[in-house]
Amino acid sequence: MKLFLLAVTFGLVSCQDLPGGVLEQDPKDPMFKKPARVAATYTDNQNQVSLSAQYGPRYEVIAASTQVVAGVLYRMTLKFTSANKRVTICDVEVLEQSWLQYIGLSGTPVCRAVTQKSLGGYSNVDSTSPAVQAAAAFAVDAINNQSNSLYRQMLIEVVRAQQQVVAGINYKLLLSVGVSSTCRNDGTTGLTLLNCPVDQRKQRCDVIVWDQPWRTPRYQLTSFKCN
Ligand SMILES: *[C@@H]1O[C@H](CO)[C@@H](O)[C@H](O)[C@H]1NC(C)=O
């Protein structure tokens, strides 16, 4: 009996209540109704204007996760639509501590105006922007880590870049990479083409990098294909 209880407890712990673990959730789940309203209508003493007043009365949760900390941290991407159809995306966090009957905004919402198009699918972005370069550098590091090649693949350039707004941003990149026989593939990071000139096989890699700035680790390599 004791063993059974223990097993049940551990089962529950590992599925849902793992402290610190982030669980992706269905943004349509009713559990986000209250925290979404809290985030959309919150006003503090300095900033008298709520997100909803600023960006539009209509909002919906388009991505969401939960994390058990001291309470439950709801992370949501809220999409606001203004009267004249301007769309703003806000990443917000709301902390609920039910035993204190507390629910409130945690941290500062991060908002950006987006086009309706970039929400549905991918749209082109500047391949030289720092955000794209950082995602590309991460992708090449991750590809090197997964490869058992003796020598290091170096990023030559980002040929094409597209992004999609999800819970964070998906970067779909076409990278030009090549092997440098000067540098070993031993996990060293921050190498540049100056230190490690490409003198061997060049190839193209299609990669998707998921950037969630609030998460650790921040980036995930969702897919890659090199030829
Ligand atoms: C690659 O491996 C190195 C050394 O193990 C590690 O420090 C780095 O975080 C890894 N990078 C990625 C993108 O996985």
Side-chain angles (χ1 to χ4, degrees):
M1 188 60 192
K2 226 177 193 167
L3 209 67
F4 171 72
L5 267 179
L6 211 69
V8 167
T9 315
F10 274 124
L12 281 177
V13 163
S14 64
C15 299
Q16 338 188 306
D17 290 346
L18 190 69
V22 177
L23 286 178
E24 299 307 324
Q25 304 278 8
D26 176 4
K28 302 242 184 300
D29 192 301
M31 76 167 137
F32 292 108
K33 264 219 158 92
K34 187 161 82 170
R37 189 177 39 182
V38 167
T41 58
Y42 178 83
T43 55
D44 63 15
N45 293 334
Q46 287 147 18
N47 191 357
Q48 297 281 353
V49 185
S50 70
L51 295 178
S52 199
Q54 250 175 297
Y55 300 120
R58 282 182 38 221
Y59 64 88
E60 65 179 299
V61 184
I62 59 169
S65 67
T66 53
Q67 183 176 19
V68 175
V69 283
V72 179
L73 190 60
Y74 298 93
R75 284 204 186 79
M76 296 165 290
T77 302
L78 301 182
K79 174 190 168 192
F80 292 88
T81 311
S82 71
N84 55 9
K85 298 249 158 43
R86 266 214 327 260
V87 179
T88 306
I89 294 294
C90 297
D91 289 315
V92 300
E93 296 181 353
V94 169
L95 179 66
E96 180 168 37
Q97 296 177 315
S98 45
W99 67 95
L100 297 174
Q101 296 185 331
Y102 169 81
I103 183 164
L105 202 63
S106 168
T108 310
V110 179
C111 297
R112 56 196 181 278
V114 296
T115 59
Q116 186 71 41
K117 207 173 118 218
S118 74
L119 277 181
Y122 283 94
S123 56
N124 292 334
V125 285
D126 178 4
S127 59
T128 63
S129 80
V132 166
Q133 291 294 322
F138 164 82
V140 176
D141 273 352
I143 290 171
N144 272 301
N145 283 8
Q146 288 182 30
S147 139
N148 50 20
S149 147
L150 186 57
Y151 297 112
R152 192 155 179 94
Q153 293 268 9
M154 299 297 298
L155 174 66
I156 300 169
E157 69 167 327
V158 179
V159 180
R160 189 171 64 226
Q162 296 177 297
Q163 73 171 32
Q164 176 193 37
V165 178
V166 283
I169 297 177
N170 262 334
Y171 291 102
K172 191 193 265 189
L173 311 174
L174 175 60
L175 308 179
S176 165
V177 300
V179 173
S180 172
S181 62
T182 316
C183 291
R184 288 190 165 249
N185 181 22
D186 58 4
T188 311
T189 53
L191 297 172
T192 67
L193 284 173
L194 230 53
N195 312 124
C196 309
V198 169
D199 56 0
Q200 293 194 26
R201 201 162 75 93
K202 288 184 191 173
Q203 54 181 348
R204 295 264 164 130
C205 297
D206 282 300
V207 306
I208 295 179
V209 175
W210 190 18
D211 178 11
Q212 295 186 291
W214 59 87
R215 254 178 103 147
T216 312
R218 170 174 172 165
Y219 297 103
Q220 288 174 62
L221 184 63
T222 314
S223 74
F224 75 96
K225 202 173 125 223
C226 300
N227 56 35

